[in-house]
Amino acid sequence: MKVKNIYYALFLVIIFVSIFFYFKIDREKKKKNPTITDLALEPDVLINTADRSLHDHKKLAAIAFLDDAIEMMKLLEKDGDDVSMQAIELAIKDLEIVEEHIKAEDINDDLMYEAFADAMNSLAYASLRVSEKLIQEGKLKEADITLEHAMDHLQNSIRFARGEQKEDELVIVAHLQEIMDNHLQNDISKIDEVMAEIDSVVQAHVIK
């Protein structure tokens, strides 16, 4: 009986290890050729982790996670068109400024959170641009996925946005949610409206 239990336990271990390595290999493949859809929320996760690390007084870890977020955004930037690339480039520059302030130990939450919110807004903007293209190509299922990613980016940005910026972003989230709830995403003009709103917020909060 004991031998049988040992074999059963060994079998489970092999299954779990196989699943772990499958997802690890799959993730590494996507990282080598990422798209706005694959690993779309990776920068959000990295930025959130950088924030937690900094407030746990782990400056070097925060810088490392922020570096990874910037590198991931640079890779995702290549998947966009000229317009979305410009939006992501602005966000990358803001994050690089934040990183320099962290290294100089003169960072403040207002500066950092504004950059974090804008980074996620820019990724939401890029996701919507990709969604538009997919709709035009008749790839509605894929378009819905990128719309959901755009919503995730926007909701993550609200966590960092403050004051008037937070109020503006809450309005944008409600607008996109209305489009998704009423299945209006096939009307590209509706997506254009949300992108214009995001662009307005990002442009207003570019760090000089």
Side-chain angles (χ1 to χ4, degrees):
M1 189 68 175
K2 288 183 179 180
V3 174
K4 184 177 180 180
N5 288 339
I6 291 172
Y7 280 121
Y8 180 69
L10 185 60
F11 173 75
L12 288 178
V13 168
I14 292 171
I15 292 295
F16 283 125
V17 169
S18 299
I19 292 172
F20 172 79
F21 279 106
Y22 171 80
F23 283 109
K24 181 177 174 59
I25 291 170
D26 184 60
R27 187 174 184 271
E28 289 303 317
K29 283 181 180 178
K30 289 178 177 179
K31 285 185 74 172
K32 289 180 181 178
N33 186 30
T35 67
I36 293 294
T37 301
D38 293 329
L39 302 176
L41 299 177
E42 195 81 1
D44 299 45
V45 173
L46 291 166
I47 288 171
N48 273 291
T49 307
D51 176 50
R52 287 197 302 273
S53 298
L54 190 61
H55 286 95
D56 286 340
H57 307 289
K58 299 175 181 176
K59 187 181 83 168
L60 293 180
I63 291 170
F65 284 119
L66 200 52
D67 270 338
D68 287 345
I70 290 170
E71 288 307 308
M72 182 58 68
M73 289 179 69
K74 286 179 179 178
L75 289 173
L76 292 174
E77 181 183 19
K78 297 175 183 178
D79 191 51
D81 58 15
D82 289 343
V83 177
S84 59
M85 284 173 63
Q86 289 173 10
I88 295 177
E89 187 62 34
L90 282 175
I92 288 172
K93 288 179 180 177
D94 279 1
L95 292 179
E96 289 174 339
I97 291 171
V98 166
E99 187 174 16
E100 290 305 311
H101 278 280
I102 293 173
K103 289 177 180 177
E105 298 187 350
D106 67 345
I107 191 66
N108 63 74
D109 283 353
D110 289 338
L111 176 75
M112 184 170 69
Y113 287 164
E114 190 170 309
F116 288 175
D118 283 343
M120 295 170 190
N121 281 327
S122 297
L123 289 167
Y125 184 90
S127 293
L128 290 173
R129 294 283 299 184
V130 172
S131 185
E132 260 193 340
K133 181 181 178 182
L134 291 170
I135 290 169
Q136 291 171 337
E137 294 173 353
K139 300 176 180 177
L140 303 185
K141 185 176 179 180
E142 291 91 337
D144 284 344
I145 292 172
T146 57
L147 277 176
E148 289 172 5
H149 286 320
M151 177 62 82
D152 288 336
H153 288 307
L154 289 172
Q155 289 175 335
N156 287 333
S157 74
I158 289 172
R159 176 174 177 264
F160 295 112
R162 298 182 171 194
E164 186 179 339
Q165 185 178 14
K166 183 184 284 287
E167 293 174 9
D168 290 341
E169 294 191 21
L170 286 168
V171 171
I172 296 170
V173 165
H175 191 175
L176 182 57
Q177 190 64 60
E178 180 185 3
I179 291 171
M180 295 170 72
D181 287 345
N182 294 302
H183 306 287
L184 301 175
Q185 54 263 47
N186 291 348
D187 183 349
I188 291 176
S189 65
K190 298 291 184 184
I191 297 177
D192 281 341
E193 290 174 8
V194 178
M195 286 196 298
E197 292 167 357
I198 295 173
D199 184 58
S200 177
V201 170
V202 172
Q203 294 293 340
H205 294 276
V206 173
I207 297 174
K208 305 298 183 184

